[in-house]
Amino acid sequence: MGRMAPRSMLSAVAGLLLSAAALADTGGVWRNRSPLNLARQEVGAARIGGFVYVVGGLVTTPSFQATPTVERYDIAGDAWTFVAPLPAPRDHLGLCAVGGMLYAIGGFAGDFAARSEVWRYDPTANAWTPRAALPSARGGHWAVAHQSKIYVFGGIDAAGAVRRTTFVYDTQIDLWSQGADMPTAREHLMAEVVGNFVHVVGGRAGAATGAHERYDPVNNVWQNLPPMPTPRSAAATAFYNGQLVVMGGEVPMLFAKNEVYDPVSNLWRTQEPMPVPRHGVAAVALDTGIFVPAGGIIQGLMPTAHADEFRPQPADVSSYCFCQAATPCNNGWDDAGCRNSTGAGAELTAIGVADVAADSLELVASALPPGTTVLFFQGTTQVNGGAGLPFQDGLRCASGIVTRIGMHAAPTGTTSYPRPSDAPVSVRGAVPAGATRMYQVWYRNLAGPCGTGSNLTSALQVVW
């Protein structure tokens, strides 16, 4: 997995905004997916079965304007197809899926004047039909589906005012009502259903906010929760594997930031930043991770067709031993292992589930010299309190009782364990349930900066 820049450079300003409630932790893996046919930003996206639909947005051709086009992504086939367009161009719309149907709600028509129209898409008929309009026009709002109802939060009204309204749409009777107002007025906000609640985060009313408020649809009440560590707006968000994930966004800058909220611990932590930072971007939970299509690649404008997938690092896995001190030959690297011949430090992250009874943990080593051979190994203790000690061109971070997990080649600079023919990590490491183990990767690097011929990644601690 390549990097655009060190994590410390990508989010130096944003990193200063981390609250005391946030847990410092990095990880997860980004993988490219097929690009859209049409570059766009300020889109809506939702999943129905084996497909993801990306609807509307702003495009640059033939000029910067709203588009009615809809693309369908085949998850298994990693391929895009155009389907029936919206009845009219829209950007900054609300979009969600209920009962196998898409609902496109409000938005702008390229002029930043809010609209109230609502349309429903039937994938079987490949057609859009009108439904009851919003009680008041909105753009830059957010829509989520919970059971048979749709909840629409905030946004900008037809007069250009930022609102804190909650509209409720009953899809079964085609009727709108109004719920309790959000505590914080905002537009370009994000929201996700988490269990029986809706979590609304970020957005802006001039300046960006980190506000994190939870709505109870049954009792129609709001509760304040720990704010998102990095205030931002127009980000991508999804609920995956028990975690609320917020990626990218803008104001006062374009963010690569990727922050994760755990509703059980009530804490935020950071994970691997976006390799292609974007705003006005969508996110949809898949079975394997979070699919992130489209978006703008500079603050304000510049739509992209880029699409990728983020696989979060589990909550019981934590990264440690970055090459920030005691480097072997001044080859320090702030957010991974020590610098190698690629000019960056190699990193070890993880995806899957660390559970001895149902082990799907995958260890992923990235930013390696292409073509190198690597050794995944396990230890029972951290070295030097987690800071590590110099060894060859890197820092040795996992020690105690050491077990060789497996060796693999990294032809493109990224490799992982296990592969389909390998035993699970816990089996190879003979890990008992409840144990804590450390993991690291040693790799050959003949052209490394210190000249010793090998180096090491950063390390992981896993609570099994």
Side-chain angles (χ1 to χ4, degrees), residues 30 94 123 140 152 168 187 200 206 232 236 247 272 306 316 319 324 346 372:
W30 287 90
V152 175
V168 184
E187 44 102 3
V200 182
R232 52 206 158 112
M247 301 160 282
E272 187 72 13
H306 182 79
D316 46 11
S319 301
Q324 298 170 328
T372 192

Side-chain angles (χ1 to χ4, degrees), residues 131-209:
R131 305 300 287 168
L134 277 163
S136 175
R138 289 290 183 272
H141 51 295
W142 198 281
V144 300
H146 179 58
Q147 298 177 356
S148 63
K149 293 182 179 178
I150 295 172
Y151 297 83
V152 175
F153 302 101
I156 300 171
D157 67 13
V162 178
R163 306 305 299 258
R164 59 190 188 99
T165 48
T166 300
F167 292 134
V168 184
Y169 176 68
D170 190 324
T171 62
Q172 296 181 335
I173 59 175
D174 190 28
L175 183 68
W176 287 94
S177 59
Q178 191 156 345
D181 286 351
M182 294 187 297
T184 305
R186 41 197 160 140
E187 44 102 3
H188 280 82
L189 68 167
M190 298 78 72
E192 279 297 326
V193 173
V194 178
N196 294 320
F197 302 98
V198 182
H199 289 240
V200 182
V201 295
R204 65 187 188 239
T209 178

Side-chain angles (χ1 to χ4, degrees), residues 1 3 7 26-30 272 311-314 317 319 335 346-351 361-366 376 415-417 439 441 457-460:
M1 178 180 60
R3 295 165 185 264
R7 186 177 305 133
T26 56
V29 175
W30 287 90
E272 187 72 13
R311 299 187 176 184
Q313 183 160 288
V317 176
S319 301
D335 59 0
E347 183 176 16
L348 183 63
T349 58
I351 55 179
L361 191 72
E362 180 183 351
L363 303 174
V364 182
S366 59
F376 292 83
T415 190
S416 63
Y417 184 95
Y439 297 90
V441 169
T457 64
S458 55
L460 295 176

Side-chain angles (χ1 to χ4, degrees), residues 262-346:
D262 182 348
V264 176
S265 66
N266 199 30
L267 292 170
W268 289 88
R269 68 185 192 281
T270 62
Q271 294 216 338
E272 187 72 13
M274 301 179 82
V276 181
R278 282 163 285 165
H279 69 95
V281 58
V284 178
L286 307 182
D287 297 340
T288 56
I290 302 171
F291 182 59
V292 188
I297 57 174
I298 65 173
Q299 181 164 265
L301 308 178
M302 198 59 65
T304 182
H306 182 79
D308 45 24
E309 180 184 340
F310 176 63
R311 299 187 176 184
Q313 183 160 288
D316 46 11
V317 176
S318 56
S319 301
Y320 74 98
C321 203
F322 303 124
C323 196
Q324 298 170 328
T327 59
C329 61
N330 297 316
N331 63 330
W333 192 257
D334 286 348
D335 59 0
C338 295
R339 191 186 308 267
N340 57 40
S341 58
T342 70

